[in-house]
């Protein structure tokens, strides 16, 4: 929040410096986790499919941790900016955690999905215990709203390269504010 108040003061003085002054501007960001599906696979297991939109990293990792299991499974998806994820089977007898991570030399961004045990019930909750983003607001560097809508609508949009403030409104009533950097896409590859 300190960044935002300093940022506001700079705008009020009429001085805008677009130069990235530190490595925080280059930190990767998970923009959205969408289309989360929990699919039952027998009485005591399930697997997940979901889409992840991110920026500032060339790949995404997904780790699965299960309560009372010493194994930590790690999946790597080397698709820049977007990945469709399908996990292996996860036990529904105990708590389990799915860690979605993007990382580069300047930092990392991690989201955690937590699933409660369902003990063989046919209906697993369908959603993790952790909060899900229900709305997104994106602010330009001059303070005006560039986008306001759902995560699905946000994933379909293309934005000009630059630094933005992203506010995610969660289903539990809280919100998360972060600074994101959207780099220009090179279509010559």
């Amino acid at each position: 929040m300190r960044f935002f108040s300093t940022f506001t003061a700079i705008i009020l003085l009429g001085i805008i410096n677009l130069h990235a002054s530190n490595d925080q501007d280059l930190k990767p960001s998970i923009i959205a986790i969408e289309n989360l599906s929990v699919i039952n696979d027998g009485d005591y297991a399930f697997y997940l499919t979901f889409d992840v939109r991110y920026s500032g990293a060339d790949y995404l990792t997904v780790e699965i941790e299960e309560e009372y299991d010493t194994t930590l499974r790690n999946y790597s998806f080397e698709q820049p900016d977007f990945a469709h994820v399908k996990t292996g089977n996860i036990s529904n007898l105990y708590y389990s955690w799915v860690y979605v991570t993007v990382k580069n030399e300047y930092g990392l961004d991690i989201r955690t999905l937590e699933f409660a045990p369902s003990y063989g019930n046919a209906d697993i909750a369908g959603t993790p215990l952790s909060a899900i983003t229900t709305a997104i607001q994106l602010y330009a560097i001059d303070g005006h709203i560039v986008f306001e809508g759902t995560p699905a609508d946000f994933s379909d949009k293309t934005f000009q390269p630059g630094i933005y403030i992203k506010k995610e409104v969660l289903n539990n009533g809280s919100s998360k504010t972060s600074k994101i950097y959207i780099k220009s896409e090179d279509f010559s590859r």
Side-chain angles (χ1 to χ4, degrees), residues 15 22 55 86 103 130 163 166 188:
I15 303 168
N22 60 34
S55 66
K86 179 182 178 189
K103 181 177 175 181
S130 53
I163 299 171
K166 181 175 85 170
S188 62

Side-chain angles (χ1 to χ4, degrees), residues 30 109-111 166-170 174-178:
I30 295 174
D109 191 6
I110 300 174
R111 303 291 166 87
K166 181 175 85 170
K167 179 180 179 183
E168 298 175 72
V169 179
L170 307 176
S174 64
S175 65
K176 177 186 173 191
T177 303
S178 59

